[in-house]
Amino acid sequence: MREAAFCGQSLWRSVRFLFCRGGTIMLETITSVNGVVNGIVWGPVGLALLFGTGFVMSVRTGFFQFGHFRYWLRNTIGAIFTDRDITAHTEKNDKAISQFQSLCTALAATIGTGNIVGVATAILSGGPGAIFWMWAMAILGMMTNYSENVLGIFYRRKNADGEWSGGAMYYLADGLGSKRGCKKLGRVLAVLFACFCVLASFGIGNMSQINSIAGNMNAAFQVPNLLTGILLAVLSALVILGGLKRVAAVTEKVVPLMALFYILGALTVVLTHITAIPAAFAAIFKGAFAMQAAGGGVLGYGVSRAITWGFKRGAFSNEAGLGSSVMVHASSNVKEPVQQGMWGIFEVFADTIVVCTLTALVILTSGFVDLNTGRMLTEVQGSALVGEAFSTVFGSFGPRFIAVSILLFAYSTVLGWSHYGTKAFEYLFGTKASMGYQVVFVAMVLVGATMKLDLAWDLSDTFNGLMMLPNLIGVLSLSGTVAAITRNYVDRRFHGKRVEPMWSAFAEYQKEEEAEEAPWTKPQTNKERKKTRPSPGRLCRRAGSCHLFLVRAAQGCAPGVPPGGDARLPKGPVQ
């Protein structure tokens, strides 16, 4: 009996050893393979493709981000305060969301821990010069993001619920797939993109963010990880299961407040150390062009690391080229692809040029970096480094300020990515199946708060990069379409040409949009405007736009004004 028991125990130990050993070998294999793939997608090859795509799209659109800087700024952030159509909510039976809501939902996913932890990591690993190359990636990334949004609106479709569905999956399948001999290629790349997006949504779009929140709340306020997970899971269920409109309703309130909260705090720190600002910018430019070494190392090696880490963290931060934010931009109630494209430009501008730059200046002006050599003068890293920088002004409240900022930034990222994953899952399995995905997504919030996720973070990082490859193939192959849509918009809006607008790749949607567009709002040339201009009138300048309001004659309405309508002339071309 004892011998049998002994044999049984020995067998169990052997099985357990083999199982554990097998599990260890499997984890080591996964880690090794992931390291190789990650080194490709986020290495020189992937980053060169990302940079090159931004440059190609900038050239093909005539460097729109520079040439029309005032125009896109006025028609995005400026229009929020002057044009009610930008912020007005759609009707209950309309499944689309407003342009402002689409921006906030995209920024919710974009402005995340990368704007705090990512910037600190870039400076630690690549020196102050990494910030310059982060800017360079962002400037070109503006046109990559612009192109994604233009294609997203142009190739979007309505799903079974009447909601707009768009993204890289659709312009790969219907855009690239429509080219000769590319039908199968387009569909395969679309499916691969959707699969990578779903996998990334659980990692970098959910568990990794929640894990960061739980860790920081525990360190700053001693809140148990499990309690944080339960609270966030309940909140996520209330928001995410309510669909896109509820997600958008939350993000349009949270994102402006969290951005303002962080920007004001960062500005306070930077202005307190205002005398160090010139030296900080000098260190950024010196480090970018090898006039100083990263961390005090060899000069050539320093600039190489500055470029690598600047490009990498820049791409992580603004997500331009990953094809993620276009999935929410495509749900906007906008007609013009270029209009939504301009929101894409502003998205990258706000994320990297504004928020990331402020984080960098907070670190560089607070005395934790030797601005002459680029050497770190402290042992702390990541969010702790930013917290220490804030503590130079806010004292013990500094780390808590960062903990709250990460809570807002990371949780808003979860809300944004929930929609990305939903749309990718919908593409693969249909509209009805998307609710099942959302339930699993909410459950993973609790998992993310209570588990160690080192490998999960690395895997999701790789899946995020793998999304980039098929997306950039689609953007480059359809660069001619983006250029044509941009020219069409410029011809109509800037030069007053009467050409048919390019709003959709599909005839039924194009006709639907044209039917909704009132005939008197179509652009006219100056000559045509003079012919239709009635003679009593007065010029009224309002919100930077010129509108001619007619004085009604005693006999009736002015010519061209519909009975019962307002007496507003057609808008002319933008000057």
Side-chain angles (χ1 to χ4, degrees):
M1 195 74 175
R2 290 181 180 177
E3 291 179 358
F6 178 77
C7 289
Q9 289 175 0
S10 299
L11 180 62
W12 167 244
R13 288 195 190 101
S14 299
V15 170
R16 189 170 60 178
F17 173 78
L18 290 173
F19 180 80
C20 293
R21 179 62 177 166
T24 303
I25 293 173
M26 182 178 291
L27 284 175
E28 289 176 352
T29 303
I30 292 173
T31 302
S32 178
V33 172
N34 179 68
V36 173
V37 177
N38 191 283
I40 295 173
V41 296
W42 289 118
V45 175
L47 293 175
L49 178 62
L50 194 60
F51 186 88
T53 301
F55 181 76
V56 169
M57 299 315 301
S58 295
V59 171
R60 297 219 63 171
T61 56
F63 287 91
F64 191 97
Q65 72 270 50
F66 296 121
H68 302 294
F69 177 81
R70 290 178 61 188
Y71 180 80
W72 64 255
L73 208 58
R74 186 172 67 246
N75 283 274
T76 52
I77 188 66
I80 291 174
F81 306 102
T82 60
D83 188 349
R84 191 176 178 278
D85 290 339
I86 299 294
T87 56
H89 290 187
T90 55
E91 296 178 2
K92 191 174 182 180
N93 60 345
D94 189 346
K95 299 293 183 179
I97 58 176
S98 72
Q99 294 177 47
F100 181 65
Q101 286 179 317
S102 68
L103 170 72
C104 288
T105 307
L107 281 176
T110 303
I111 298 180
T113 54
N115 296 80
I116 298 174
V117 181
V119 174
T121 303
I123 293 174
L124 283 165
S125 304
I131 303 305
F132 175 86
W133 297 109
M134 188 181 286
W135 293 336
M137 180 63 86
I139 289 170
L140 295 180
M142 288 178 185
M143 293 318 296
T144 305
N145 217 32
Y146 166 89
S147 302
E148 291 171 355
N149 285 1
V150 167
L151 294 172
I153 296 292
F154 193 65
Y155 286 105
R156 65 183 177 176
R157 292 175 175 270
K158 285 187 176 179
N159 64 15
D161 294 335
E163 182 180 286
W164 284 116
S165 294
M169 307 86 69
Y170 294 90
Y171 56 73
L172 281 167
D174 297 323
L176 175 60
S178 67
K179 293 183 178 294
R180 187 176 180 181
C182 294
K183 186 174 183 179
K184 288 185 178 179
L185 175 63
R187 289 182 177 178
V188 169
L189 290 177
V191 171
L192 285 174
F193 175 88
C195 290
F196 294 143
C197 181
V198 170
L199 293 169
S201 71
F202 287 120
I204 206 163
N206 185 330
M207 293 189 292
S208 298
Q209 303 295 332
I210 297 297
N211 197 256
S212 295
I213 294 173
N216 278 277
M217 295 303 288
N218 182 266
F221 302 103
Q222 292 74 51
V223 179
N225 288 7
L226 180 60
L227 179 59
T228 300
I230 292 172
L231 292 175
L232 292 179
V234 171
L235 285 174
S236 299
L238 293 173
V239 177
I240 294 169
L241 299 181
L244 174 60
K245 280 207 162 184
R246 190 175 297 175
V247 171
V250 172
T251 56
E252 74 172 336
K253 295 176 179 64
V254 171
V255 169
L257 289 176
M258 76 175 192
L260 189 62
F261 174 74
Y262 184 76
I263 288 171
L264 288 176
L267 279 174
T268 302
V269 175
V270 172
L271 293 177
T272 301
H273 304 131
I274 192 169
T275 55
I277 293 178
F281 277 105
I284 290 172
F285 287 103
K286 286 179 182 177
F289 297 103
M291 288 179 276
Q292 68 183 33
V298 180
L299 291 180
Y301 181 65
V303 74
S304 174
R305 287 179 64 82
I307 293 172
T308 300
W309 281 98
F311 280 5
K312 186 181 291 187
R313 301 323 300 188
F316 277 6
S317 175
N318 56 55
E319 297 184 7
L322 302 188
S324 51
S325 66
V326 62
M327 286 181 270
V328 71
H329 281 291
S331 299
S332 170
N333 62 348
V334 74
K335 291 183 176 67
E336 293 278 5
V338 169
Q339 175 62 36
Q340 205 62 33
M342 290 189 290
W343 284 110
I345 295 175
F346 176 75
E347 179 189 335
V348 176
F349 177 83
D351 177 272
T352 306
I353 305 300
V354 177
V355 180
C356 286
T357 299
L358 280 174
T359 301
L361 290 176
V362 164
I363 296 170
L364 295 175
T365 60
S366 297
F368 293 103
V369 181
D370 186 330
L371 298 180
N372 292 316
T373 64
R375 187 186 298 277
M376 296 303 301
L377 303 177
T378 179
E379 297 296 325
V380 296
Q381 299 182 5
S383 61
L385 173 59
V386 187
E388 286 293 317
F390 270 84
S391 68
T392 60
V393 174
F394 296 110
S396 60
F397 181 69
R400 295 185 178 186
F401 180 93
I402 293 303
V404 173
S405 297
I406 287 179
L407 167 65
L408 296 172
F409 282 20
Y411 186 66
S412 66
T413 296
V414 172
L415 295 181
W417 269 91
S418 71
H419 180 68
Y420 301 164
T422 298
K423 283 300 174 186
F425 199 83
E426 176 189 295
Y427 181 82
L428 293 171
F429 302 105
T431 305
K432 292 182 179 179
S434 60
M435 178 60 75
Y437 164 84
Q438 291 173 338
V439 171
V440 175
F441 188 89
V442 170
M444 287 298 172
V445 170
L446 188 59
V447 175
T450 56
M451 291 183 66
K452 292 185 177 180
L453 300 170
D454 293 340
L455 180 59
W457 182 282
D458 292 339
L459 288 171
S460 61
D461 181 24
T462 301
F463 289 133
N464 210 6
L466 286 171
M467 289 170 59
M468 174 179 71
L469 299 181
N471 176 60
L472 293 183
I473 291 171
V475 171
L476 286 172
S477 64
L478 296 169
S479 60
T481 303
V482 175
I485 293 171
T486 304
R487 281 195 303 271
N488 177 273
Y489 181 87
V490 169
D491 284 343
R492 288 183 291 112
R493 296 285 182 170
F494 287 80
H495 306 306
K497 294 182 180 180
R498 295 187 66 86
V499 294
E500 286 299 315
M502 293 178 68
W503 289 336
S504 176
F506 308 106
E508 63 269 30
Y509 297 138
Q510 178 77 18
K511 290 177 181 178
E512 183 182 306
E513 300 282 16
E514 288 178 351
E516 292 176 2
E517 186 77 357
W520 55 83
T521 62
K522 290 184 179 179
Q524 292 179 308
T525 62
N526 290 332
K527 186 176 181 180
E528 289 169 330
R529 231 180 24 252
K530 287 178 182 178
K531 289 182 179 178
T532 58
R533 183 177 295 160
S535 72
R538 62 190 178 87
L539 187 64
C540 175
R541 295 185 178 274
R542 182 176 299 168
S545 301
C546 296
H547 300 284
L548 190 62
F549 289 86
L550 308 178
V551 179
R552 287 178 174 269
Q555 293 81 4
C557 296
V561 179
D566 64 12
R568 185 170 64 186
L569 270 184
K571 292 181 181 179
V574 177
Q575 301 298 325

